[in-house]
Amino acid sequence: MYEPIRTSSSRGSAHTTMAGKPSDFPHRSREEELDIQLAAHLAALLAVTDELRAAAPSADLDSAAARLAQQVTRLRGGRTPVRSTLAAGPAGPHLDTLHERAHALAGRALLVAASRADTASAILAAQRMDAHAAALVEKKELSTAG
């Protein structure tokens, strides 16, 4: 009923264009792409953690920031992440927003870490999710009690 396809697939190999010419840009493996994504999510989480540290310093946030920086450095092949130096700001509703953002970023990092079977990053991301969720619950309990 149908005539068989006589040409090669339009998708071709990973190293040729649709016109059949060899491509001139490098291709990354799935593992490399996941490393890049995970490093980006952890670097974003580190930036939010630094903002939280500036607004409400704590030993837990200091430790988390050091561990996040270590993981980002590992994933980026030894290149250290850029860190911001923020002045202390007022605490309040801004902290809730930062904790919510950090929780979401940690969730994304956990998802990518699980995809690439990176146990150390997955554990760190899960711990950060728990810490930010606990901070949000604690804040809500304090606001309803008072």
Side-chain angles (χ1 to χ4, degrees), residues 73-89:
T73 300
R74 178 183 62 83
L75 289 165
R76 289 185 175 168
R79 292 181 298 159
T80 58
V82 176
R83 304 284 298 272
S84 62
T85 53
L86 301 170

Side-chain angles (χ1 to χ4, degrees), residues 13-25 27:
S13 76
H15 300 289
T16 59
T17 64
M18 289 196 56
K21 298 177 184 175
S23 65
D24 58 352
F25 60 92
H27 295 275

Side-chain angles (χ1 to χ4, degrees), residues 25-129:
F25 60 92
H27 295 275
R28 291 187 286 257
S29 68
R30 180 176 184 276
E31 190 72 21
E32 290 168 325
E33 288 292 338
L34 289 173
D35 282 349
I36 292 166
Q37 283 182 21
L38 182 56
H41 290 312
L42 290 176
L45 180 57
L46 176 59
V48 174
T49 301
D50 283 341
E51 284 185 63
L52 281 165
R53 288 174 58 223
S58 77
D60 178 52
L61 289 172
D62 291 342
S63 171
R67 292 174 58 207
L68 286 165
Q70 180 184 27
Q71 289 300 318
V72 173
T73 300
R74 178 183 62 83
L75 289 165
R76 289 185 175 168
R79 292 181 298 159
T80 58
V82 176
R83 304 284 298 272
S84 62
T85 53
L86 301 170
H94 178 66
L95 283 179
D96 289 345
T97 304
L98 288 175
H99 280 296
E100 288 170 359
R101 188 180 313 150
H103 186 270
L105 287 166
R108 290 183 191 118
L110 177 59
L111 186 74
V112 176
S115 293
R116 68 177 296 280
D118 186 336
T119 306
S121 293
I123 290 170
L124 177 58
Q127 289 172 342
R128 297 318 309 151
M129 281 184 74

